[in-house]
Amino acid sequence: GVEIKKEDECGSCHGDGVKTQIKQTEVKLPSGIKDGSRIRVSGAGDAPHITTSKTVKAINGDLIIRIRVQPDSNFKRDGRDLIYTSEIPMTTAALGCIIEIPTIEGSKIKLRIPSGSENGRTIEIPNQGVPINDSMNNRGLMKVILKIKTLRPINATQTALLEAVADAFGD
């Protein structure tokens, strides 16, 4: 070992051989990284608290970063797939139409809703999910789940129209 006398201590490390300081390190996170994943940055961790000499070298440890992904208000993640729930009125579900769906990048895509769609129906959109192996060209699915809103008549005209539709369909 090496002994450092009190009078030989430096003002920055106080004889420990290392000085505590805060350091920033820039790390590239791969796209599509999962919550709870860990990234290791070799040599960016703490230095050991040992005294160095000509024969003793101190090597910094590794920095381990644990990833916490903030949940998105629009999307849920299921492995490589993104799940989006779209609320549509029952008339839209019955007649069919084209709706706009947001993507994880912030743009919108047009999605055709077939006539006669039922509550809970899932429509899969390929290559709009989570990137696989940090590749934006290879991605999972976006699964759009339809949630049908039942209309409530608020006046006599709407009630009469819904009753006429019910009669026409034998309901």
Side-chain angles (χ1 to χ4, degrees), residues 1-2 51-58:
V2 177
T51 305
T52 58
S53 67
K54 291 179 184 176
T55 59
V56 177
K57 299 289 182 204

Side-chain angles (χ1 to χ4, degrees), residues 17-31:
V18 292
K19 181 171 83 173
T20 301
Q21 66 184 48
I22 295 176
K23 178 179 151 186
Q24 288 187 348
T25 302
E26 203 167 296
V27 178
K28 183 184 181 306
L29 299 178
S31 55

Side-chain angles (χ1 to χ4, degrees), residues 32-33 69-72 74-85 101-106 109 122-131 136 139-145:
I33 194 165
V69 178
Q70 186 176 18
D72 190 277
N74 289 327
F75 302 98
K76 288 187 172 69
R77 183 174 177 164
D78 181 22
R80 297 174 175 171
D81 300 334
L82 290 177
I83 299 173
Y84 176 77
T85 302
I101 301 294
T103 65
I104 198 73
E105 288 86 21
I109 56 175
T122 301
I123 300 172
E124 295 180 349
I125 305 170
N127 213 29
Q128 288 295 321
V130 177
M136 294 303 280
R139 299 168 62 163
L141 301 170
M142 182 193 300
K143 296 179 179 178
V144 179
I145 299 173

